Amino acid sequence: MSIIETLRKRAGILVIAIAVSLIGFIVQDAFFGRGGGVKEPSKTIGKINGTNIDRQDFDARVKMMEAQYQSQGYRIEEGMRQEIQNQVWNSLVSRELILSEAKKLGIDFTSKEFSELLFSDNAPQEFKQQFTDPKTGVYNIEAARNAFLTLKKSKNAEQIKQVNEQLIDPIVLNQVQQKFFTIFTNGAYIPKWLIEKQNAVNGQVSDIAYTGLSYSSIADSAAVVSDADINDYIQKHKDQFKQEKSRSIAFVTFNAGANKEDSANLWNKMEGMKQALTDAPDAGVFVTRNGTKSPFFDGYINKSRIQVPSKDSLLALQPGQVYGPYYDANTIVVARMIGSKVLPDSVKARHILIGTIDLQTQQPSRTDSAAKALADSIKNAIAGGASFVELAAKYSDDLGSKDQGGEYNYFPNGQMVKEFNDFCFEGKTGDKGVIKTQFGYHYIEVQDQKNFETAYKIAYLAKTIEPSKETDDAASAAATKFASESRTEKAFDDAVAKNKFNKRIADNIKEMDYQVAGLTPSRSFVKWVYENKPGTVSDPISVGDQYVVAAITGEKPAGVQSAATAKLAIEPILRNKKKAAMLVQKFGKYSSIDEAAKNTDQQVQTTDSIRFSDNFKPGFGNELIVIGASFDKAYQGKPSQPLTGTTGVYVVEVKNIGALPNDAANVEEQRKAALMQMRQTMGYGLMEALKEAANIQDTRLKAGY
């Protein structure tokens, strides 16, 4: 959970922690190297320009980010876990590069600046809201100052560390980064004359005559590209052909997923449970006890929101009747109708929560009797004319709604906890009352209900179609047999041919990848690829619902690509270059566009209304060299030399160059917009330049990640 959510839910304790940490920051004038004397663990997962990246810190940040995703309802599966690790690694790289460069340049964010920022109207929003008056929406600076001055004495080191890492450090880093980037962005400048020139150029139109020869008119065999040609090209364009270290594998899969027999067995089992579900005195208890994949919802769902196969058949059931089995994706389901009633599909309501537990710690925050008494007092006060909005702002423990007067604007049926949901949807507009939930006591007022329709309560007994032990054993045995025949790369290929298996290839597998193309995410499988030497053949490895036998077929070192690797990208370029030279010879000597066309047995073609900003024109397509030549006054009234394009060689003659009026152009606004765009892109370019120049050693693989 984020520090802001923590602050909202633990305001009493954590405001003390914030106070101490901020006061400590202000008093000690600390920034670089702040840590409170905590001993740095010796284990590292990499280095950035010689600075160690601490494993313990990395793990803590990963754990925190996972918790944030989980709090938003995400499931942390293997693929997401690896993606989170990569996000944290990249953020640590960026942080270290920015801070180290800022330090070299003498850029700091002092304790005085920090204090001035925090206790001003420019304070970060996540901090300001802790001291904002809900009635006025005004940030109370003095209240923030006084809270810090009053709460100096807390010595909860863990909470102080948490606040430093989740609130203070990001603010400081952001301010330092802004200063660092400002040095560069403030140097950006676009003169007015440049915009005027661009407008003039973009406003031009031209008419041309042209003729051309396509590269396809020459056979590829007539323009042979050698490895020496490719290597020479690579040496002249090294920056374009850099590569990370990677490996390639060949692999064969053996399906261990559920088969038709497994599906049939589960179907028969579910058939046998229909009567038991029909006879069960409590359908909800029955499906829960029997391990349904779809948790029982003890409430009514509106017809329009029910999205299941066989919906019409299900909704036609009478209470107590059972339907099924039926397939729903990878499950087989038997369902029992419990009942139906007409309900709204959404409700607008407001409430005041008097909590009995701390939502962060799950520890008691108020006795049940005290919470009930306060909720009843609020009910009586509102009945006597007190302001609902003011009481919500003062007393409600639901920080998600208290600043809105306790209001939730049209939420769907089934979104809230059962007791809250039932009061709002099964009552009527205008109902008011105190109800109890797992969070405490709520005083609720139903403000509006809309879109009434029939809603249904249905108990679903859903079972996933899973492979039987026999299915898994058969796949494992087949994979083991193949692996035993394939202990070398040659034997692997021979066994593939003998058994007529489908050999699949995966290239460009990086050290920190977590998925191989064609397989489900499996970091352990990628680790195996790097923990063994090229030529090694694996034993069967379980990846998702398959067993995989793989052979490591090659490795590409970090550096510049070889001719074999780059051939696919470079060969067409060099081949066309050779063809271009041949086509230029075909044009020979000419003094007019007609003569150039005659020399090549081509026709002269014309195109008009060409704009400099065009990137495609019928006839010659996206040949930008032709579009550019269309505005070259040197070719006005006479033919150009042969122009080498991406698809062929062309000769152009400009017939006319004109201009369109552009009276509406606001040069100053265009200049400002272009400057803003330039400054926005500079940040990314600057970070990429820092990474390019840095010595970044990622040793997470060696550290076991």
Side-chain angles (χ1 to χ4, degrees):
M1 184 170 290
S2 72
I3 188 64
I4 302 310
E5 291 169 337
T6 305
L7 286 171
R8 289 172 178 162
K9 295 177 180 177
R10 303 185 64 187
I13 296 174
L14 274 179
V15 164
I16 297 175
I18 293 174
V20 175
S21 60
L22 292 178
I23 291 168
F25 180 84
I26 293 167
V27 171
Q28 296 173 20
D29 194 20
F31 172 42
F32 292 106
R34 184 169 69 253
V38 179
K39 185 177 179 181
E40 182 176 322
S42 58
K43 292 184 179 179
T44 63
I45 61 166
K47 289 186 177 182
I48 303 168
N49 289 335
T51 299
N52 289 334
I53 301 298
D54 177 57
R55 176 177 191 147
Q56 197 172 40
D57 177 50
F58 177 80
D59 287 343
R61 291 173 186 267
V62 169
K63 186 176 180 181
M64 181 178 68
M65 187 174 286
E66 287 180 354
Q68 289 174 344
Y69 275 110
Q70 286 174 326
S71 71
Q72 297 171 32
Y74 290 95
R75 293 179 60 191
I76 307 299
E77 298 175 334
E78 182 167 9
M80 176 167 277
R81 180 171 291 107
Q82 295 301 322
E83 188 60 36
I84 288 172
Q85 289 187 6
N86 289 338
Q87 288 180 30
V88 171
W89 168 260
N90 290 332
S91 71
L92 289 173
V93 170
S94 297
R95 177 180 183 274
E96 179 58 36
L97 292 177
I98 289 171
L99 294 184
S100 62
E101 290 300 315
K103 191 172 184 179
K104 291 176 188 176
L105 295 171
I107 298 172
D108 201 347
F109 187 66
T110 66
S111 57
K112 181 180 179 182
E113 289 177 299
F114 192 90
S115 179
E116 289 174 350
L117 172 68
L118 211 62
F119 304 123
S120 74
D121 289 332
N122 295 322
Q125 185 60 35
E126 61 267 26
F127 178 79
K128 286 172 68 175
Q129 64 188 10
Q130 307 308 317
F131 300 97
T132 296
D133 188 329
K135 297 179 183 178
T136 64
V138 175
Y139 172 42
N140 192 330
I141 295 174
E142 287 307 308
R145 288 186 191 277
N146 292 336
F148 288 176
L149 293 174
T150 304
L151 305 172
K152 285 183 180 180
K153 297 182 181 180
S154 171
K155 298 189 178 184
N156 190 325
E158 182 57 35
Q159 288 178 341
I160 293 174
K161 179 175 180 290
Q162 185 183 24
V163 174
N164 270 325
E165 290 179 351
Q166 297 187 43
L167 183 66
I168 297 176
D169 286 352
I171 291 174
V172 172
L173 177 60
N174 182 59
Q175 294 299 315
V176 171
Q177 179 174 295
Q178 285 186 26
K179 287 185 176 184
F180 180 63
F181 285 169
T182 298
I183 292 176
F184 297 90
T185 57
N186 279 359
Y189 177 69
I190 296 177
K192 182 179 178 181
W193 66 261
L194 181 59
I195 301 299
E196 292 173 338
K197 178 67 174 176
Q198 288 176 345
N199 286 344
V201 170
N202 289 334
Q204 290 182 321
V205 292
S206 72
D207 305 330
I208 66 168
Y210 69 94
T211 187
L213 288 170
S214 171
Y215 295 140
S216 62
S217 64
I218 297 178
D220 288 352
S221 58
V224 177
V225 177
S226 67
D227 285 349
D229 294 331
I230 294 173
N231 279 321
D232 181 62
Y233 188 89
I234 291 172
Q235 292 306 309
K236 293 176 180 177
H237 304 83
K238 286 183 179 180
D239 288 346
Q240 298 178 25
F241 296 97
K242 290 182 178 179
Q243 66 181 15
E244 296 180 55
K245 180 180 179 181
S246 67
R247 286 191 169 184
S248 57
I249 63 170
F251 64 96
V252 174
T253 61
F254 298 84
N255 185 19
N259 57 28
K260 291 182 180 179
E261 185 176 346
D262 297 323
S263 178
N265 289 337
L266 179 59
W267 182 276
N268 293 334
K269 179 180 177 181
M270 298 300 284
E271 280 278 13
M273 298 187 76
K274 285 179 67 174
Q275 192 60 48
L277 177 57
T278 302
D279 297 340
D282 189 320
V285 171
F286 179 85
V287 298
T288 301
R289 284 180 177 173
N290 282 275
T292 181
K293 183 184 177 184
S294 304
F296 175 65
F297 174 65
D298 188 14
Y300 290 81
I301 301 296
N302 293 69
K303 178 179 179 179
S304 61
R305 296 184 59 232
I306 297 175
Q307 302 296 327
V308 296
S310 305
K311 176 178 175 177
D312 292 342
S313 298
L314 277 172
L315 302 189
L317 296 174
Q318 296 299 311
Q321 288 185 325
V322 172
Y323 177 80
Y326 63 89
Y327 288 99
D328 187 352
N330 66 332
T331 64
I332 297 177
V333 187
V334 177
R336 173 175 157 180
M337 175 64 70
I338 296 176
S340 64
K341 58 177 65 174
V342 176
L343 296 176
D345 76 348
S346 58
V347 169
K348 179 180 180 181
R350 58 182 180 175
H351 81 130
I352 298 172
L353 169 63
I354 308 301
T356 55
I357 62 167
D358 185 303
L359 297 180
Q360 172 68 15
T361 66
Q362 299 301 306
Q363 297 301 310
S365 61
R366 193 183 274 116
T367 65
D368 189 277
S369 58
K372 178 68 164 59
L374 180 53
D376 287 338
S377 296
I378 288 171
K379 174 184 176 182
N380 293 333
I382 292 175
S387 168
F388 194 112
V389 172
E390 290 181 2
L391 291 176
K394 184 174 182 179
Y395 292 108
S396 183
D397 291 318
D398 178 14
L399 297 179
S401 68
K402 68 180 296 179
D403 292 343
Q404 286 75 46
E407 186 174 284
Y408 280 105
N409 190 33
Y410 292 111
F411 51 91
N413 187 9
Q415 178 173 293
M416 302 298 188
V417 292
K418 175 176 170 52
E419 299 84 358
F420 192 108
N421 194 85
D422 289 351
F423 184 90
C424 293
F425 283 85
E426 298 190 21
K428 60 183 183 298
T429 298
D431 281 358
K432 302 173 184 178
V434 175
I435 59 105
K436 184 180 181 181
T437 72
Q438 66 200 64
F439 304 111
Y441 287 87
H442 306 251
Y443 175 67
I444 305 175
E445 177 184 329
V446 180
Q447 296 172 291
D448 190 26
Q449 300 171 318
K450 63 181 183 179
N451 299 333
F452 283 80
E453 64 177 352
T454 305
Y456 300 85
K457 183 187 286 190
I458 303 172
Y460 300 94
L461 178 60
K463 295 282 188 179
T464 302
I465 304 170
E466 295 179 335
S468 64
K469 183 176 183 301
E470 291 75 16
T471 299
D472 186 81
D473 287 348
S476 176
T480 300
K481 180 177 181 296
F482 173 70
S484 68
E485 300 172 348
S486 310
R487 301 325 299 161
T488 66
E489 192 174 343
K490 182 179 183 305
F492 178 94
D493 288 335
D494 291 343
V496 166
K498 182 181 92 173
N499 293 286
K500 298 182 179 179
F501 288 148
N502 177 28
K503 183 175 81 169
R504 299 160 71 181
I505 304 296
D507 293 319
N508 207 32
I509 303 170
K510 309 291 196 312
E511 282 189 341
M512 294 312 300
D513 285 348
Y514 56 85
Q515 183 173 11
V516 170
L519 298 174
T520 54
S522 175
R523 176 63 189 152
S524 60
F525 181 62
V526 176
K527 286 170 68 176
W528 176 86
V529 173
Y530 273 89
E531 288 168 352
N532 293 276
K533 297 178 180 179
T536 304
V537 178
S538 74
D539 291 326
I541 300 172
S542 178
V543 179
D545 60 358
Q546 301 179 101
Y547 286 98
V548 179
V549 179
I552 305 173
T553 55
E555 179 178 78
K556 297 175 183 176
V560 180
Q561 295 178 14
S562 66
T565 301
K567 184 176 183 178
L568 194 62
I570 296 174
E571 189 173 40
I573 297 172
L574 296 181
R575 181 184 294 120
N576 286 344
K577 189 175 180 181
K578 290 176 180 286
K579 289 183 177 182
M582 299 178 194
L583 295 178
V584 167
Q585 292 297 318
K586 286 190 175 184
F587 277 104
K589 293 182 180 181
Y590 52 87
S591 58
S592 68
I593 190 74
D594 292 323
E595 191 176 351
K598 182 179 179 181
N599 290 347
T600 55
D601 294 325
Q602 299 296 308
Q603 297 294 319
V604 174
Q605 301 183 62
T606 60
T607 297
D608 57 19
S609 302
I610 299 174
R611 301 285 297 270
F612 192 77
S613 57
D614 289 340
N615 56 22
F616 182 90
K617 292 296 287 186
F620 53 80
N622 61 346
E623 287 288 10
L624 299 185
I625 195 167
V626 175
I627 293 173
S630 301
F631 297 91
D632 192 333
K633 292 183 179 180
Y635 304 145
Q636 197 159 9
K638 59 182 179 180
S640 69
Q641 74 275 19
L643 304 172
T644 301
T646 56
T647 60
V649 177
Y650 300 85
V651 174
V652 174
E653 182 176 309
V654 179
K655 296 299 184 182
N656 180 58
I657 299 177
L660 298 175
N662 191 15
D663 298 333
N666 187 323
V667 174
E668 183 57 24
E669 288 301 317
Q670 289 178 325
R671 191 188 73 83
K672 288 179 179 178
L675 185 59
M676 181 180 294
Q677 184 178 10
M678 178 185 290
R679 287 173 173 170
Q680 288 174 344
T681 58
M682 284 180 73
Y684 174 79
L686 182 56
M687 283 306 307
E688 290 303 301
L690 289 177
K691 291 177 183 178
E692 182 72 20
N695 180 10
I696 300 173
Q697 299 176 30
D698 185 349
T699 56
R700 285 179 289 166
L701 179 65
K702 293 180 181 178
Y705 290 92

